[in-house]
Amino acid sequence: MPLRVTFVAAAHGSPSHAERFQDDRPLDQAGWDEVQRVVGYLLPLAAAELRYCSPTPRSRATGDALGYAPLSQLALRDCDMGRWRGLTLAEAMAREPQAVDAWLADPRASPHGGESMLAFISRVGGWLDTRPGDDHARIVAVAEPAVIRAALVYALQAPPSAFWSIDVRPLSTITVSGRAGRWTLRLDAVSPQPSRT
C-alpha cells in the first residue's frame, strides 16, 4: 500500500467573502466551535505516524485542538502575496484591477511582488514528494485551504487554472496516496461536516 497523506483544512470563522490573502489571524470563537463539533470524527487521524501543519496560528491551533500535536512546516505556508498580503480579493481588485486580472489569468505572473501561482503549487508539491515514510505510512497535515488546493492540483497533475475550481471548506479532509511524482486522489467514507452558522 502506498504512502497516504490526509490534508485537514484549518478551521476558521470568517465568512468566505472576508478571507484575506495570507491571513495570519488566530482561530476566532466560531472556529473553535467548529473544531469542537468535529473533533470526534477527526481525532482518529492523530494515529498517523507523521503529523504536520501550516505555520499559521489557525492551522497550529486546529491541529492542537484535534489532538495531533503537529510539526509546523514552512513549505506548507500560504502563497506569498507580496503587497496584497492582508487584503481581500475585492480590495486588491479595487486597488490594482489590471494586476489582479493578470494574476488570475497567468499562473506565472506575480504582479503583487510575491510568489506566482505556479511557484506556489510547485513548492507545495515538492513538500508532498519529499515526505518520508515506509510503505503503509500515514501522514496528516493541517493546512490553509489554498495550500490544500495547490497540493491537489499538483497531485492530479492538473493545469494551474484548476486551482480556482477547487473549494476547500474548513475542517474538510482529502487524502492523496502514492509517492513522489505518482499521486492519486483517495476519497474516503464521508463523515459529517460542521454546519456554518
Side-chain angles (χ1 to χ4, degrees):
M1 212 164 126
L3 184 70
R4 287 187 308 168
V5 181
T6 299
F7 289 96
V8 178
H12 67 85
S14 302
S16 59
H17 69 273
E19 288 180 7
R20 298 184 175 278
F21 295 128
Q22 285 183 275
D23 189 354
D24 285 339
R25 291 180 291 176
L27 284 182
D28 61 12
Q29 188 59 51
W32 282 110
D33 293 344
E34 285 181 336
V35 172
Q36 294 310 306
R37 283 193 295 269
V38 301
V39 68
Y41 299 107
L42 298 179
L43 185 59
L45 292 173
E49 288 85 0
L50 299 169
R51 298 172 304 279
Y52 301 113
C53 68
S54 292
T56 60
R58 183 172 48 231
S59 293
R60 164 65 75 187
T62 299
D64 286 343
L66 291 171
Y68 301 166
L71 176 64
S72 180
Q73 298 283 281
L74 190 58
L76 292 181
R77 69 192 180 281
D78 211 340
C79 187
D80 178 358
M81 296 304 292
R83 68 179 171 275
W84 295 349
R85 180 185 182 121
L87 300 180
T88 65
L89 179 60
E91 290 168 344
M93 182 64 87
R95 293 179 187 191
E96 302 180 55
Q98 291 177 328
V100 171
D101 286 343
W103 176 66
L104 292 172
D106 182 358
R108 295 173 304 268
S110 56
H112 43 61
E115 191 173 25
S116 72
M117 188 57 59
L118 195 57
F120 174 49
I121 292 167
S122 295
R123 169 171 50 83
V124 173
W127 177 87
L128 187 61
D129 279 349
T130 57
R131 287 312 83 216
D134 301 322
D135 286 347
H136 312 291
R138 293 172 300 155
I139 296 172
V140 65
V142 180
E144 296 300 316
V147 172
I148 297 172
R149 291 160 67 190
L152 291 176
V153 169
Y154 182 84
L156 296 174
Q157 299 178 12
S161 60
F163 180 90
W164 306 113
S165 300
I166 301 170
D167 184 23
V168 177
R169 306 305 305 153
L171 296 168
S172 59
T173 65
I174 191 74
T175 301
V176 294
S177 61
R179 50 190 69 263
R182 296 193 58 173
W183 296 99
T184 58
L185 185 62
R186 177 184 165 122
L187 299 177
D188 295 314
V190 178
S191 56
Q193 293 296 311
S195 58
R196 299 290 293 176
T197 55

